[in-house]
Every structure is written in C-alpha cells, then in structure tokens.
Amino acid sequence: MAVEPSRLTPGVVVSHRRFELDDRTIREYAAAVDDASPVQVDAEDEARLAPPMAVAALMLRGVVNDLDMPGGTLHTGQELEFVRTVRAGDELDCTATVARSSVRGGRWFVVFNLTAEDGEGRTVLTGTSTLMMPGE
Amino acid sequence: MEEGSALPVVTKLVTQERIEQYAEASGDFNPIHIDPEYAAATQFGGTIAHGMMVAAMVSESMARAFEMDWYKTGRLKLRFRAPVRPGETVTASGKVRSASRLDDSRELRCTVGVRKADGEAVVTGEAVVSVKLS
C-alpha cells in the first residue's frame, strides 16, 4: 500500500541502506547515461573514481525502494553537493530523511535530505530531493 | 574558463532501451519510466526518462570542463520542468555566470540547463565549482 504523504513529517527517516559501489555498478551507470567524459582516477592509488551522479543515484535508490510512493509521484527538484570522491569498491551508508512537506494545489511536495557516508563515516555527498505526490 | 565562457555541450538521444538501462543501474523501476501500458494511462501518455538520467548530462558537461575539481567540489541545484520521452533528443549546455577568487581557488557559478530540440527547457539550474589555482 502506497505511503500516505501526510505521514511524511520532518525528521522521519525513510531509508537507511548500505551499498557497495563496485566497478561493475559504476560501469553500468556510465553505460546507462552514456557518459563520455574521461574516467577520473585517484592520484594516490590510481583507483577508478565513481561519477558523483552515480553516488547520487544510489542515495535516491533508498528513497525509491523503501518508500512505496503513490502512482503519479514526480521528481521535481534536486540539489547536490559533492564533498569527497568515491572510489570503486567503497561502501556507502545512504540515509534519506524528510526535511519538510507542504500541500499546494492538492499535491504534496515532500523534500528529503540525503546523505552518503563512506566506510570511515566521512560524508561524501549530501543533497535534497523534492518529490511531488498526488493526494491531499 | 572565465565569466561568459560556454560549457561543453552534451547532446543525447533518449531511447526506451536507455531508460530501462538507467532503471537497472539506479534501481528506480517506477512504472512511469518502464511500463508503457501503465504510462499510457498517465498525464504523460507514455513513458518518460528519469529526471536524474537527464540531470547526468549536466554533470557530464561540468566533468568535461572541470574534471577532478567537479568531482571534489561540485554543487548542483536543478529543477525538472518537463518530461523527456523516448525518441527525443536533448542537449545540455551552460555558461559561467560569475567567477570569484577564494583563498587558493576560484569559485565559478554556472547557469546550466537541458533543452529539447525545439528549445523547450526540461532542466534548469545552477552548478558551482571551485577550481584550484596552481
């Protein structure tokens, strides 16, 4: 049963997941978005670096999979801040929390805070996603 | 790059196959993207691409321009304004709006966006990057 948007109040944690961003996942992501920009490599250990938008996609995966969103939900806005690079093979803890919500024109606008931390607890990426959900 | 400089242009044809690839890679299997029958009954009348799939073109443009500086310091603020359907060609572009000196770097604020072939804006926003001064 789809989530009732009115239950998405500030502070509610909607997803907390750990992902491994392995080389295969990075390659599949790059192929899916047909990214032709040069692969970035870590200067110290020459490890392949994940495109930051691949990390962002993982952060959103938790929201998409853990929140049974009502049909007609649309992604209307996205903010991201890349804090640290992520190497292939890094494990990431991704958390999504409701920041705020409002009703306009019979639709819910829910803003989620997203964070991704590496295995050492360092923030690598933060952001907000705004989803528009039907219903009042 | 200086104030007024154009960012690299990125143009792609969006296909249903690519949308399905993105669904697999991102784990976002919302039927509006991958189920033609479901999508046909929605306000869009058919499937549409994931917003983040289109947004990735903006990041690709910034990565081409600023490479590691983008990976390490990039900031994006985007609005998804219109759906992109399979078969449509979209182009990401932008330009440096302002440049300011920080301690050991320059902060560049860029106007970015993605448009369809007919000029309709599908993504608009701002990207900010700090470029290390050598």
Side-chain angles (χ1 to χ4, degrees), chain A residues 29 31-37 40 49-53 56-57 60-61 64-65 71-83 85, chain B residues 12 18 21-22 24-28 30 38 43-44 48 52-53 55-56 59-60 63-64 67-68 70-80:
Chain A
Y29 174 84
V33 298
D34 190 24
D35 188 344
S37 59
Q40 301 298 322
L49 297 178
M53 293 297 277
L60 269 168
R61 183 184 289 188
V64 169
N65 290 344
T73 297
L74 293 175
H75 191 181
T76 60
Q78 184 67 51
E79 295 185 26
L80 294 167
E81 181 172 355
F82 311 147
V83 182
T85 55
Chain B
K12 295 187 195 300
R18 191 77 76 191
Q21 263 185 295
Y22 187 84
E24 289 284 345
S26 67
D28 182 349
N30 184 331
Y38 172 90
Q43 59 181 309
F44 302 114
I48 60 173
M52 290 292 279
M53 176 181 165
S59 185
E60 181 179 339
R64 285 195 200 176
E67 301 181 340
M68 284 296 286
W70 175 245
Y71 272 46
K72 289 181 174 175
T73 71
R75 281 180 278 159
L76 266 179
K77 186 173 184 178
L78 301 175
R79 285 190 64 184
F80 303 119

Short mmCIF file of all heavy atoms in Angstrom, two decimals, chain A residues 29 31-37 40 49-53 56-57 60-61 64-65 71-83 85, chain B residues 12 18 21-22 24-28 30 38 43-44 48 52-53 55-56 59-60 63-64 67-68 70-80:
data_model
loop_
_atom_site.label_atom_id
_atom_site.label_comp_id
_atom_site.label_asym_id
_atom_site.label_seq_id
_atom_site.Cartn_x
_atom_site.Cartn_y
_atom_site.Cartn_z
N TYR A 29 26.30 2.15 -14.60
CA TYR A 29 25.76 3.50 -14.52
C TYR A 29 26.25 4.34 -15.70
O TYR A 29 25.48 5.01 -16.38
CB TYR A 29 26.14 4.17 -13.19
CG TYR A 29 25.70 5.61 -13.16
CD1 TYR A 29 24.40 5.94 -12.78
CD2 TYR A 29 26.56 6.63 -13.56
CE1 TYR A 29 23.97 7.25 -12.81
CE2 TYR A 29 26.14 7.95 -13.58
CZ TYR A 29 24.85 8.24 -13.21
OH TYR A 29 24.42 9.55 -13.25
N ALA A 31 27.30 3.42 -18.56
CA ALA A 31 26.71 2.97 -19.82
C ALA A 31 25.27 3.47 -19.94
O ALA A 31 24.83 3.90 -21.02
CB ALA A 31 26.73 1.44 -19.89
N ALA A 32 24.54 3.45 -18.83
CA ALA A 32 23.14 3.86 -18.86
C ALA A 32 22.99 5.34 -19.21
O ALA A 32 22.05 5.73 -19.91
CB ALA A 32 22.47 3.56 -17.52
N VAL A 33 23.89 6.16 -18.71
CA VAL A 33 23.78 7.60 -19.00
C VAL A 33 24.65 7.99 -20.19
O VAL A 33 24.73 9.17 -20.54
CB VAL A 33 24.13 8.48 -17.76
CG1 VAL A 33 23.16 8.19 -16.63
CG2 VAL A 33 25.57 8.26 -17.32
N ASP A 34 25.34 6.98 -20.78
CA ASP A 34 26.14 7.21 -21.99
C ASP A 34 27.15 8.34 -21.74
O ASP A 34 27.28 9.26 -22.53
CB ASP A 34 25.20 7.57 -23.15
CG ASP A 34 25.93 7.59 -24.48
OD1 ASP A 34 26.96 6.91 -24.59
OD2 ASP A 34 25.47 8.30 -25.40
N ASP A 35 27.82 8.24 -20.58
CA ASP A 35 28.75 9.31 -20.16
C ASP A 35 30.08 9.16 -20.89
O ASP A 35 30.79 8.18 -20.71
CB ASP A 35 28.96 9.22 -18.65
CG ASP A 35 29.74 10.40 -18.10
OD1 ASP A 35 30.38 11.12 -18.91
OD2 ASP A 35 29.71 10.62 -16.89
N ALA A 36 30.39 10.17 -21.69
CA ALA A 36 31.62 10.10 -22.49
C ALA A 36 32.74 10.95 -21.88
O ALA A 36 33.79 11.11 -22.50
CB ALA A 36 31.33 10.58 -23.91
N SER A 37 32.50 11.49 -20.68
CA SER A 37 33.58 12.29 -20.07
C SER A 37 34.69 11.35 -19.61
O SER A 37 34.42 10.18 -19.28
CB SER A 37 33.05 13.12 -18.90
OG SER A 37 32.49 12.30 -17.91
N GLN A 40 37.75 9.53 -14.24
CA GLN A 40 38.64 10.18 -13.29
C GLN A 40 39.28 9.10 -12.41
O GLN A 40 38.63 8.13 -12.01
CB GLN A 40 37.88 11.20 -12.45
CG GLN A 40 37.23 12.30 -13.27
CD GLN A 40 38.23 13.14 -14.04
OE1 GLN A 40 39.32 13.44 -13.57
NE2 GLN A 40 37.87 13.50 -15.27
N LEU A 49 37.43 6.32 -10.02
CA LEU A 49 36.51 7.08 -9.18
C LEU A 49 35.10 7.01 -9.75
O LEU A 49 34.91 6.99 -10.97
CB LEU A 49 36.95 8.54 -9.08
CG LEU A 49 38.31 8.78 -8.44
CD1 LEU A 49 38.65 10.27 -8.46
CD2 LEU A 49 38.31 8.27 -6.99
N ALA A 50 34.13 6.99 -8.85
CA ALA A 50 32.74 6.94 -9.28
C ALA A 50 32.29 8.34 -9.70
O ALA A 50 32.57 9.32 -9.00
CB ALA A 50 31.85 6.46 -8.13
N PRO A 51 31.58 8.46 -10.83
CA PRO A 51 30.98 9.75 -11.15
C PRO A 51 30.06 10.15 -9.99
O PRO A 51 29.31 9.31 -9.48
CB PRO A 51 30.17 9.48 -12.42
CG PRO A 51 30.72 8.22 -12.98
CD PRO A 51 31.23 7.43 -11.81
N PRO A 52 30.12 11.39 -9.55
CA PRO A 52 29.29 11.76 -8.39
C PRO A 52 27.80 11.52 -8.60
O PRO A 52 27.07 11.23 -7.65
CB PRO A 52 29.60 13.25 -8.19
CG PRO A 52 30.45 13.67 -9.33
CD PRO A 52 30.99 12.48 -10.00
N MET A 53 27.35 11.59 -9.86
CA MET A 53 25.93 11.34 -10.09
C MET A 53 25.58 9.86 -9.90
O MET A 53 24.40 9.53 -9.68
CB MET A 53 25.52 11.82 -11.48
CG MET A 53 25.61 13.33 -11.65
SD MET A 53 24.49 14.25 -10.56
CE MET A 53 22.98 14.17 -11.51
N ALA A 56 24.85 9.81 -6.34
CA ALA A 56 23.53 10.43 -6.13
C ALA A 56 22.41 9.44 -6.47
O ALA A 56 21.40 9.37 -5.77
CB ALA A 56 23.41 11.69 -6.98
N ALA A 57 22.61 8.68 -7.53
CA ALA A 57 21.59 7.69 -7.92
C ALA A 57 21.43 6.64 -6.82
O ALA A 57 20.31 6.21 -6.53
CB ALA A 57 21.98 7.04 -9.24
N LEU A 60 19.41 8.04 -3.96
CA LEU A 60 17.98 8.07 -4.26
C LEU A 60 17.36 6.68 -4.27
O LEU A 60 16.16 6.52 -4.07
CB LEU A 60 17.76 8.72 -5.62
CG LEU A 60 17.55 10.23 -5.60
CD1 LEU A 60 17.65 10.79 -7.01
CD2 LEU A 60 16.20 10.56 -4.99
N ARG A 61 18.20 5.67 -4.53
CA ARG A 61 17.67 4.30 -4.61
C ARG A 61 16.94 3.92 -3.33
O ARG A 61 15.90 3.26 -3.37
CB ARG A 61 18.80 3.31 -4.87
CG ARG A 61 18.33 1.90 -5.04
CD ARG A 61 19.46 0.92 -5.21
NE ARG A 61 20.10 1.06 -6.50
CZ ARG A 61 21.03 0.23 -6.97
NH1 ARG A 61 21.43 -0.80 -6.23
NH2 ARG A 61 21.57 0.40 -8.14
N VAL A 64 13.52 5.48 -3.30
CA VAL A 64 12.64 4.84 -4.29
C VAL A 64 12.20 3.45 -3.83
O VAL A 64 11.04 3.07 -3.98
CB VAL A 64 13.39 4.75 -5.65
CG1 VAL A 64 12.64 3.87 -6.63
CG2 VAL A 64 13.60 6.14 -6.23
N ASN A 65 13.14 2.70 -3.25
CA ASN A 65 12.84 1.31 -2.89
C ASN A 65 12.15 1.17 -1.54
O ASN A 65 11.36 0.24 -1.34
CB ASN A 65 14.12 0.47 -2.89
CG ASN A 65 14.66 0.28 -4.29
OD1 ASN A 65 13.96 0.49 -5.27
ND2 ASN A 65 15.91 -0.10 -4.39
N GLY A 71 1.33 6.19 -7.09
CA GLY A 71 1.44 6.38 -8.54
C GLY A 71 1.26 7.84 -8.88
O GLY A 71 0.44 8.54 -8.27
N GLY A 72 2.03 8.30 -9.85
CA GLY A 72 1.94 9.71 -10.22
C GLY A 72 2.94 10.59 -9.52
O GLY A 72 2.99 11.80 -9.75
N THR A 73 3.76 9.97 -8.63
CA THR A 73 4.80 10.75 -7.96
C THR A 73 5.85 11.20 -8.98
O THR A 73 6.28 10.41 -9.81
CB THR A 73 5.47 9.91 -6.86
OG1 THR A 73 4.49 9.60 -5.87
CG2 THR A 73 6.62 10.67 -6.21
N LEU A 74 6.25 12.47 -8.89
CA LEU A 74 7.24 13.00 -9.81
C LEU A 74 8.39 13.66 -9.07
O LEU A 74 8.19 14.26 -8.00
CB LEU A 74 6.59 14.05 -10.74
CG LEU A 74 5.55 13.53 -11.73
CD1 LEU A 74 4.92 14.70 -12.49
CD2 LEU A 74 6.18 12.55 -12.71
N HIS A 75 9.56 13.52 -9.64
CA HIS A 75 10.78 14.14 -9.10
C HIS A 75 10.86 15.54 -9.70
O HIS A 75 11.02 15.69 -10.90
CB HIS A 75 11.97 13.27 -9.54
CG HIS A 75 13.25 13.60 -8.89
ND1 HIS A 75 14.42 12.93 -9.18
CD2 HIS A 75 13.60 14.52 -7.96
CE1 HIS A 75 15.41 13.41 -8.45
NE2 HIS A 75 14.94 14.39 -7.71
N THR A 76 10.74 16.56 -8.88
CA THR A 76 10.65 17.92 -9.43
C THR A 76 11.89 18.77 -9.17
O THR A 76 12.05 19.81 -9.80
CB THR A 76 9.42 18.66 -8.88
OG1 THR A 76 9.53 18.74 -7.45
CG2 THR A 76 8.14 17.94 -9.25
N GLY A 77 12.72 18.35 -8.23
CA GLY A 77 13.90 19.17 -7.95
C GLY A 77 15.00 18.37 -7.28
O GLY A 77 14.72 17.36 -6.61
N GLN A 78 16.24 18.78 -7.51
CA GLN A 78 17.37 18.07 -6.94
C GLN A 78 18.51 19.02 -6.65
O GLN A 78 18.88 19.82 -7.50
CB GLN A 78 17.86 16.98 -7.91
CG GLN A 78 18.97 16.12 -7.37
CD GLN A 78 18.52 15.26 -6.21
OE1 GLN A 78 17.52 14.56 -6.30
NE2 GLN A 78 19.24 15.32 -5.09
N GLU A 79 19.02 18.95 -5.43
CA GLU A 79 20.23 19.70 -5.08
C GLU A 79 21.27 18.68 -4.62
O GLU A 79 20.93 17.71 -3.94
CB GLU A 79 19.96 20.71 -3.96
CG GLU A 79 19.01 21.81 -4.39
CD GLU A 79 18.83 22.88 -3.33
OE1 GLU A 79 19.74 23.07 -2.49
OE2 GLU A 79 17.76 23.51 -3.33
N LEU A 80 22.52 18.92 -4.98
CA LEU A 80 23.60 18.01 -4.61
C LEU A 80 24.85 18.79 -4.26
O LEU A 80 25.12 19.84 -4.86
CB LEU A 80 23.93 17.05 -5.77
CG LEU A 80 22.84 16.06 -6.16
CD1 LEU A 80 23.17 15.41 -7.50
CD2 LEU A 80 22.67 14.99 -5.08
N GLU A 81 25.61 18.28 -3.32
CA GLU A 81 26.93 18.85 -3.01
C GLU A 81 27.91 17.70 -2.92
O GLU A 81 27.77 16.80 -2.07
CB GLU A 81 26.90 19.65 -1.71
CG GLU A 81 28.26 20.27 -1.40
CD GLU A 81 28.24 21.22 -0.22
OE1 GLU A 81 27.15 21.49 0.33
OE2 GLU A 81 29.31 21.70 0.15
N PHE A 82 28.91 17.72 -3.80
CA PHE A 82 29.93 16.66 -3.81
C PHE A 82 31.01 17.06 -2.82
O PHE A 82 31.68 18.07 -2.99
CB PHE A 82 30.52 16.50 -5.20
CG PHE A 82 29.49 16.38 -6.32
CD1 PHE A 82 29.75 16.89 -7.57
CD2 PHE A 82 28.27 15.77 -6.10
CE1 PHE A 82 28.82 16.80 -8.61
CE2 PHE A 82 27.33 15.66 -7.12
CZ PHE A 82 27.60 16.18 -8.37
N VAL A 83 31.20 16.26 -1.79
CA VAL A 83 32.12 16.62 -0.71
C VAL A 83 33.45 15.89 -0.83
O VAL A 83 34.52 16.47 -0.64
CB VAL A 83 31.48 16.32 0.66
CG1 VAL A 83 32.41 16.74 1.80
CG2 VAL A 83 30.13 17.03 0.79
N THR A 85 35.54 12.44 -3.05
CA THR A 85 35.43 11.47 -4.15
C THR A 85 35.16 10.08 -3.58
O THR A 85 35.50 9.77 -2.43
CB THR A 85 36.72 11.44 -4.99
OG1 THR A 85 37.83 11.20 -4.13
CG2 THR A 85 36.92 12.76 -5.73
N LYS B 12 22.20 14.09 -26.46
CA LYS B 12 21.91 12.65 -26.46
C LYS B 12 20.49 12.39 -26.97
O LYS B 12 19.58 13.20 -26.74
CB LYS B 12 22.04 12.08 -25.05
CG LYS B 12 23.48 12.14 -24.52
CD LYS B 12 23.61 11.42 -23.20
CE LYS B 12 24.90 11.77 -22.50
NZ LYS B 12 26.11 11.46 -23.23
N ARG B 18 17.62 2.90 -23.28
CA ARG B 18 18.50 3.61 -22.35
C ARG B 18 17.77 3.88 -21.02
O ARG B 18 18.36 3.78 -19.95
CB ARG B 18 18.93 4.94 -22.99
CG ARG B 18 20.04 5.62 -22.26
CD ARG B 18 21.39 4.99 -22.52
NE ARG B 18 21.92 5.35 -23.82
CZ ARG B 18 22.97 4.79 -24.40
NH1 ARG B 18 23.61 3.82 -23.79
NH2 ARG B 18 23.38 5.18 -25.58
N GLN B 21 17.91 0.73 -19.12
CA GLN B 21 19.27 0.56 -18.59
C GLN B 21 19.45 1.41 -17.33
O GLN B 21 20.06 0.98 -16.35
CB GLN B 21 20.30 1.03 -19.62
CG GLN B 21 20.90 -0.07 -20.48
CD GLN B 21 21.99 0.50 -21.38
OE1 GLN B 21 21.71 1.32 -22.25
NE2 GLN B 21 23.21 0.08 -21.16
N TYR B 22 18.93 2.64 -17.39
CA TYR B 22 19.07 3.52 -16.23
C TYR B 22 18.28 2.98 -15.04
O TYR B 22 18.72 3.06 -13.89
CB TYR B 22 18.63 4.96 -16.55
CG TYR B 22 18.95 5.89 -15.42
CD1 TYR B 22 20.21 6.46 -15.30
CD2 TYR B 22 18.02 6.15 -14.41
CE1 TYR B 22 20.54 7.27 -14.23
CE2 TYR B 22 18.34 6.96 -13.33
CZ TYR B 22 19.59 7.52 -13.25
OH TYR B 22 19.92 8.30 -12.17
N GLU B 24 17.75 -0.12 -14.34
CA GLU B 24 18.57 -1.20 -13.78
C GLU B 24 19.72 -0.64 -12.95
O GLU B 24 20.01 -1.10 -11.85
CB GLU B 24 19.13 -2.07 -14.91
CG GLU B 24 18.11 -2.93 -15.63
CD GLU B 24 17.69 -4.14 -14.82
OE1 GLU B 24 18.38 -4.48 -13.84
OE2 GLU B 24 16.64 -4.73 -15.15
N ALA B 25 20.40 0.37 -13.50
CA ALA B 25 21.58 0.91 -12.84
C ALA B 25 21.23 1.68 -11.57
O ALA B 25 21.98 1.67 -10.59
CB ALA B 25 22.35 1.81 -13.80
N SER B 26 20.08 2.34 -11.58
CA SER B 26 19.72 3.19 -10.43
C SER B 26 18.81 2.47 -9.45
O SER B 26 18.68 2.89 -8.30
CB SER B 26 18.99 4.44 -10.93
OG SER B 26 17.74 4.09 -11.49
N GLY B 27 18.17 1.40 -9.88
CA GLY B 27 17.21 0.70 -9.02
C GLY B 27 15.87 1.40 -8.97
O GLY B 27 15.03 1.07 -8.13
N ASP B 28 15.63 2.34 -9.87
CA ASP B 28 14.35 3.07 -9.90
C ASP B 28 13.47 2.48 -11.00
O ASP B 28 13.62 2.81 -12.17
CB ASP B 28 14.61 4.56 -10.15
CG ASP B 28 13.32 5.38 -10.12
OD1 ASP B 28 12.22 4.79 -10.11
OD2 ASP B 28 13.42 6.62 -10.12
N ASN B 30 10.13 2.75 -11.20
CA ASN B 30 8.82 3.40 -11.26
C ASN B 30 8.21 3.12 -12.64
O ASN B 30 8.84 3.36 -13.67
CB ASN B 30 9.04 4.92 -11.07
CG ASN B 30 7.73 5.70 -11.02
OD1 ASN B 30 6.73 5.29 -11.62
ND2 ASN B 30 7.75 6.82 -10.33
N TYR B 38 1.12 1.14 -18.38
CA TYR B 38 0.84 2.00 -17.22
C TYR B 38 1.01 3.47 -17.60
O TYR B 38 0.15 4.31 -17.32
CB TYR B 38 1.79 1.64 -16.06
CG TYR B 38 1.70 2.58 -14.89
CD1 TYR B 38 0.81 2.34 -13.85
CD2 TYR B 38 2.49 3.73 -14.83
CE1 TYR B 38 0.72 3.21 -12.78
CE2 TYR B 38 2.40 4.61 -13.77
CZ TYR B 38 1.52 4.34 -12.74
OH TYR B 38 1.43 5.22 -11.69
N GLN B 43 -0.87 11.25 -17.18
CA GLN B 43 -0.94 12.56 -17.83
C GLN B 43 0.08 12.70 -18.97
O GLN B 43 -0.07 13.55 -19.84
CB GLN B 43 -0.66 13.65 -16.79
CG GLN B 43 0.69 13.52 -16.13
CD GLN B 43 0.96 14.58 -15.08
OE1 GLN B 43 0.81 15.76 -15.33
NE2 GLN B 43 1.34 14.14 -13.88
N PHE B 44 1.10 11.85 -18.96
CA PHE B 44 2.15 11.96 -19.98
C PHE B 44 1.85 11.14 -21.24
O PHE B 44 2.48 11.33 -22.26
CB PHE B 44 3.51 11.55 -19.40
CG PHE B 44 3.89 12.35 -18.20
CD1 PHE B 44 3.99 11.76 -16.94
CD2 PHE B 44 4.12 13.71 -18.32
CE1 PHE B 44 4.31 12.51 -15.83
CE2 PHE B 44 4.44 14.47 -17.21
CZ PHE B 44 4.54 13.88 -15.95
N ILE B 48 8.43 8.15 -19.67
CA ILE B 48 9.32 9.31 -19.65
C ILE B 48 10.64 8.90 -19.00
O ILE B 48 10.69 7.93 -18.23
CB ILE B 48 8.71 10.51 -18.89
CG1 ILE B 48 8.41 10.13 -17.44
CG2 ILE B 48 7.44 11.00 -19.59
CD1 ILE B 48 7.96 11.31 -16.57
N MET B 52 16.89 12.15 -13.08
CA MET B 52 18.32 12.08 -12.77
C MET B 52 19.15 11.59 -13.96
O MET B 52 20.34 11.85 -14.04
CB MET B 52 18.55 11.20 -11.55
CG MET B 52 18.05 11.82 -10.26
SD MET B 52 19.01 13.28 -9.79
CE MET B 52 20.42 12.49 -9.03
N MET B 53 18.49 10.85 -14.85
CA MET B 53 19.18 10.42 -16.06
C MET B 53 19.48 11.63 -16.94
O MET B 53 20.57 11.77 -17.50
CB MET B 53 18.29 9.41 -16.80
CG MET B 53 18.82 8.92 -18.11
SD MET B 53 17.60 7.77 -18.84
CE MET B 53 18.21 7.71 -20.52
N ALA B 55 19.56 14.74 -15.76
CA ALA B 55 20.45 15.60 -14.97
C ALA B 55 21.91 15.18 -15.11
O ALA B 55 22.82 16.00 -15.00
CB ALA B 55 20.04 15.56 -13.50
N ALA B 56 22.13 13.89 -15.36
CA ALA B 56 23.50 13.39 -15.51
C ALA B 56 24.21 14.08 -16.67
O ALA B 56 25.45 14.19 -16.67
CB ALA B 56 23.49 11.88 -15.71
N SER B 59 25.95 17.08 -15.30
CA SER B 59 27.17 16.70 -14.59
C SER B 59 28.26 16.30 -15.58
O SER B 59 29.44 16.61 -15.37
CB SER B 59 26.87 15.55 -13.63
OG SER B 59 28.00 15.25 -12.85
N GLU B 60 27.88 15.63 -16.66
CA GLU B 60 28.88 15.24 -17.67
C GLU B 60 29.53 16.48 -18.29
O GLU B 60 30.75 16.53 -18.49
CB GLU B 60 28.23 14.38 -18.76
CG GLU B 60 29.22 13.92 -19.81
CD GLU B 60 28.59 13.05 -20.89
OE1 GLU B 60 27.52 12.47 -20.65
OE2 GLU B 60 29.19 12.95 -21.97
N ALA B 63 31.88 17.86 -15.74
CA ALA B 63 33.06 17.00 -15.59
C ALA B 63 34.02 17.18 -16.75
O ALA B 63 35.24 17.15 -16.58
CB ALA B 63 32.63 15.54 -15.48
N ARG B 64 33.48 17.38 -17.95
CA ARG B 64 34.35 17.62 -19.10
C ARG B 64 35.10 18.94 -18.94
O ARG B 64 36.26 19.06 -19.32
CB ARG B 64 33.53 17.66 -20.39
CG ARG B 64 33.06 16.32 -20.87
CD ARG B 64 32.58 16.44 -22.31
NE ARG B 64 31.72 15.34 -22.67
CZ ARG B 64 31.10 15.26 -23.84
NH1 ARG B 64 31.24 16.22 -24.73
NH2 ARG B 64 30.33 14.23 -24.12
N GLU B 67 36.81 18.50 -14.73
CA GLU B 67 37.42 17.22 -14.33
C GLU B 67 37.38 17.02 -12.81
O GLU B 67 36.31 17.06 -12.22
CB GLU B 67 38.84 17.15 -14.90
CG GLU B 67 38.82 17.26 -16.42
CD GLU B 67 40.18 17.17 -17.04
OE1 GLU B 67 41.19 17.38 -16.37
OE2 GLU B 67 40.23 16.86 -18.26
N MET B 68 38.55 16.79 -12.18
CA MET B 68 38.55 16.44 -10.75
C MET B 68 37.98 17.52 -9.86
O MET B 68 37.44 17.24 -8.79
CB MET B 68 39.98 16.10 -10.31
CG MET B 68 40.44 14.72 -10.76
SD MET B 68 39.46 13.39 -10.03
CE MET B 68 40.09 13.40 -8.37
N TRP B 70 35.42 19.19 -10.39
CA TRP B 70 33.97 18.96 -10.33
C TRP B 70 33.66 17.79 -9.39
O TRP B 70 32.75 17.86 -8.57
CB TRP B 70 33.41 18.69 -11.72
CG TRP B 70 31.96 18.33 -11.74
CD1 TRP B 70 31.41 17.15 -12.12
CD2 TRP B 70 30.86 19.16 -11.32
NE1 TRP B 70 30.05 17.19 -11.97
CE2 TRP B 70 29.68 18.41 -11.48
CE3 TRP B 70 30.77 20.46 -10.83
CZ2 TRP B 70 28.42 18.92 -11.17
CZ3 TRP B 70 29.51 20.97 -10.51
CH2 TRP B 70 28.37 20.21 -10.68
N TYR B 71 34.43 16.72 -9.49
CA TYR B 71 34.20 15.56 -8.64
C TYR B 71 34.36 15.91 -7.15
O TYR B 71 33.67 15.34 -6.30
CB TYR B 71 35.22 14.46 -8.98
CG TYR B 71 34.81 13.51 -10.09
CD1 TYR B 71 34.25 13.98 -11.27
CD2 TYR B 71 34.99 12.15 -9.96
CE1 TYR B 71 33.90 13.12 -12.28
CE2 TYR B 71 34.64 11.27 -10.97
CZ TYR B 71 34.09 11.77 -12.13
OH TYR B 71 33.74 10.91 -13.14
N LYS B 72 35.27 16.83 -6.86
CA LYS B 72 35.60 17.11 -5.45
C LYS B 72 34.79 18.25 -4.84
O LYS B 72 34.63 18.29 -3.62
CB LYS B 72 37.09 17.46 -5.34
CG LYS B 72 38.01 16.28 -5.54
CD LYS B 72 39.45 16.70 -5.39
CE LYS B 72 40.38 15.50 -5.43
NZ LYS B 72 41.80 15.90 -5.39
N THR B 73 34.34 19.19 -5.68
CA THR B 73 33.73 20.40 -5.08
C THR B 73 32.40 20.79 -5.72
O THR B 73 31.85 21.83 -5.38
CB THR B 73 34.68 21.61 -5.24
OG1 THR B 73 34.73 22.00 -6.62
CG2 THR B 73 36.09 21.30 -4.74
N GLY B 74 31.89 19.95 -6.63
CA GLY B 74 30.70 20.35 -7.38
C GLY B 74 29.46 20.51 -6.53
O GLY B 74 29.26 19.82 -5.53
N ARG B 75 28.65 21.48 -6.93
CA ARG B 75 27.33 21.67 -6.32
C ARG B 75 26.33 21.90 -7.44
O ARG B 75 26.60 22.64 -8.38
CB ARG B 75 27.33 22.88 -5.39
CG ARG B 75 27.95 22.61 -4.03
CD ARG B 75 27.91 23.84 -3.17
NE ARG B 75 29.00 24.73 -3.50
CZ ARG B 75 29.02 26.04 -3.23
NH1 ARG B 75 27.99 26.61 -2.65
NH2 ARG B 75 30.06 26.78 -3.55
N LEU B 76 25.17 21.27 -7.29
CA LEU B 76 24.12 21.38 -8.31
C LEU B 76 22.80 21.75 -7.67
O LEU B 76 22.47 21.25 -6.59
CB LEU B 76 23.93 20.02 -8.99
CG LEU B 76 24.67 19.69 -10.28
CD1 LEU B 76 24.31 18.27 -10.70
CD2 LEU B 76 24.33 20.67 -11.39
N LYS B 77 22.08 22.61 -8.35
CA LYS B 77 20.71 22.91 -7.92
C LYS B 77 19.86 22.91 -9.18
O LYS B 77 20.01 23.79 -10.03
CB LYS B 77 20.66 24.28 -7.23
CG LYS B 77 19.32 24.62 -6.64
CD LYS B 77 19.41 25.92 -5.84
CE LYS B 77 18.09 26.20 -5.15
NZ LYS B 77 18.16 27.43 -4.34
N LEU B 78 19.00 21.90 -9.30
CA LEU B 78 18.27 21.69 -10.55
C LEU B 78 16.76 21.61 -10.32
O LEU B 78 16.31 21.10 -9.28
CB LEU B 78 18.72 20.39 -11.22
CG LEU B 78 20.20 20.27 -11.58
CD1 LEU B 78 20.50 18.88 -12.11
CD2 LEU B 78 20.61 21.33 -12.59
N ARG B 79 16.02 22.09 -11.32
CA ARG B 79 14.58 21.88 -11.34
C ARG B 79 14.22 21.10 -12.60
O ARG B 79 14.71 21.42 -13.69
CB ARG B 79 13.83 23.21 -11.34
CG ARG B 79 13.84 23.89 -9.98
CD ARG B 79 12.91 25.06 -9.95
NE ARG B 79 11.52 24.63 -10.14
CZ ARG B 79 10.50 25.48 -10.24
NH1 ARG B 79 10.71 26.77 -10.18
NH2 ARG B 79 9.27 25.03 -10.40
N PHE B 80 13.39 20.09 -12.41
CA PHE B 80 12.92 19.29 -13.55
C PHE B 80 11.61 19.91 -14.03
O PHE B 80 10.61 19.87 -13.32
CB PHE B 80 12.74 17.83 -13.13
CG PHE B 80 14.01 17.23 -12.57
CD1 PHE B 80 14.05 16.74 -11.27
CD2 PHE B 80 15.17 17.17 -13.32
CE1 PHE B 80 15.21 16.20 -10.74
CE2 PHE B 80 16.33 16.62 -12.81
CZ PHE B 80 16.36 16.14 -11.52
#
